[in-house]
Amino acid sequence: MKSKISILVVALALLMPMSVSATIYRSGGMKWSSSMDGRGLYGRGFGQSKHTISLVIAPNYYSGDVELPGSLLTGFKDHAKTNLYTAGPNNGFSNSVGFGGALQYTYRATPVVAYRAQVMGGYMHGYCNFTRPHTNSAGVQSTSVFEREFSSVFVEYSFGVEIYPIPVAGWFLYAGVSGTTSFITRSFNPYLSNPDISLNKDKVTCTVPMIPVGMGYKWNIKSVQIGIELIWHPALVDLKGMNLDGWESGFTSKGITRYPTESSTNRWTDSFTELGISIGYRLPMR
């Protein structure tokens, strides 16, 4: 009896490698975890997962033609020949703040390089009012009141590269290319247009190429990835039909210069900056 038991134990020991080999073969040659998760399933480890899908919350700050001129932060775009601007009421940082969200896919090709594809949507807004010396439609020099406002729903589709200078850390630099399509409502200057308020607004659609750049940090917690990033999205051009706010330099309507940004002094194209906070799922792939 003892000899039969001994033979059985030896046979089982010899069959164990065959069983393991069969498991690897059936799983496509990939090694699986030897312990079950909370759902009673056996899964591959997440430590080397290269694929991540993330949801991003991204408040944004607009900078462009529809803002108070004066500095890089608040505009510095339309320094006319006089430079005699006087800010009116209701100007402020919050006038250029919007919000957005994104769906993001990242592939970590190497410890140093990751490729990213992203679709972002959201709301953008800008408003300012000021006075300055101005030549009116009759060619007479006078001090005019200017009020600029727009709002838009936008979609940005982008592809870029994340560079990790120190692979063991989560810091990364980002650079990419994108296109932004904006569905814009413009409010014309009520002081220079028809008193009928309904005639002071119109809607336009614009699409503009952009080059988002920035930096961020990502934490990997098992199958979860948490990230934070600051990305600047400058447009490459500021032309009719190709901008973020609906106005190119020197926009006119019916002979009246409603938003007198001068091409010779319009120093910066439109842009927006977003502070992204992401939470992602690291797919169990290799």
Side-chain angles (χ1 to χ4, degrees):
M1 184 67 178
K2 290 183 178 180
S3 62
K4 292 182 179 180
I5 295 176
S6 300
I7 293 172
L8 180 61
V9 170
V10 172
L12 289 174
L14 292 173
L15 287 172
M16 284 182 66
M18 295 176 62
S19 175
V20 172
S21 176
T23 300
I24 293 175
Y25 177 78
R26 287 196 301 268
S27 65
M30 296 182 179
K31 296 180 181 179
W32 290 69
S33 171
S34 60
S35 61
M36 293 185 295
D37 62 15
R39 295 167 292 181
L41 302 175
Y42 290 91
R44 281 172 278 146
F46 289 92
Q48 297 180 5
S49 178
K50 297 179 180 181
H51 306 264
T52 306
I53 295 179
S54 303
L55 293 176
V56 186
I57 299 174
N60 62 68
Y61 180 84
Y62 154 82
S63 178
D65 297 300
V66 187
E67 61 181 346
L68 190 67
S71 69
L72 179 60
L73 179 62
T74 60
F76 204 58
K77 291 178 59 64
D78 182 28
H79 282 250
K81 298 175 182 178
T82 60
N83 277 336
L84 298 178
Y85 288 92
T86 302
N90 304 319
N91 290 295
F93 179 89
S94 61
N95 288 341
S96 294
V97 175
F99 58 88
L103 178 63
Q104 181 184 107
Y105 166 74
T106 305
Y107 171 65
R108 189 75 175 263
T110 72
V112 177
V113 177
Y115 300 106
R116 177 201 293 188
Q118 177 175 287
V119 177
M120 174 183 289
Y123 170 82
M124 198 175 299
H125 178 254
Y127 173 85
C128 74
N129 61 78
F130 59 93
T131 62
R132 80 166 187 203
H134 171 64
T135 302
N136 61 26
S137 57
V140 177
Q141 188 73 16
S142 63
T143 299
S144 300
V145 179
F146 297 95
E147 185 177 63
R148 309 178 180 182
E149 184 175 18
F150 89 99
S151 62
S152 72
V153 175
F154 73 93
V155 178
E156 183 195 50
Y157 22 91
S158 63
F159 177 80
V161 179
E162 298 175 353
I163 302 296
Y164 293 80
I166 306 175
V168 295
W171 291 106
F172 67 89
L173 303 175
Y174 176 79
V177 294
S178 71
T180 300
T181 298
S182 303
F183 304 92
I184 302 166
T185 299
R186 303 182 295 191
S187 296
F188 293 131
N189 193 333
Y191 302 100
L192 296 178
S193 56
N194 196 302
D196 183 353
I197 193 66
S198 64
L199 300 179
N200 294 335
K201 293 185 178 182
D202 73 347
K203 297 180 182 293
V204 295
T205 300
C206 296
T207 298
V208 63
M210 311 187 80
I211 47 171
V213 293
M215 64 183 299
Y217 192 91
K218 291 184 178 180
W219 295 265
N220 293 322
I221 307 172
K222 294 185 178 180
S223 62
V224 176
Q225 185 178 87
I226 298 174
I228 184 170
E229 61 188 32
L230 184 67
I231 308 293
W232 180 44
H233 303 246
L236 291 177
V237 296
D238 191 354
L239 304 172
K240 183 177 181 179
M242 299 180 68
N243 51 70
L244 286 178
D245 48 32
W247 280 277
E248 70 279 8
S249 299
F251 171 78
T252 62
S253 177
K254 297 181 180 179
I256 300 176
T257 304
R258 302 176 187 271
Y259 286 77
T261 54
E262 299 180 6
S263 58
S264 62
T265 58
N266 191 4
R267 303 182 182 184
W268 300 92
T269 58
D270 303 329
S271 68
F272 71 93
T273 302
E274 52 105 353
L275 177 63
I277 301 173
S278 65
I279 179 168
Y281 175 68
R282 305 177 67 202
L283 301 177
M285 300 179 181
R286 292 186 180 180

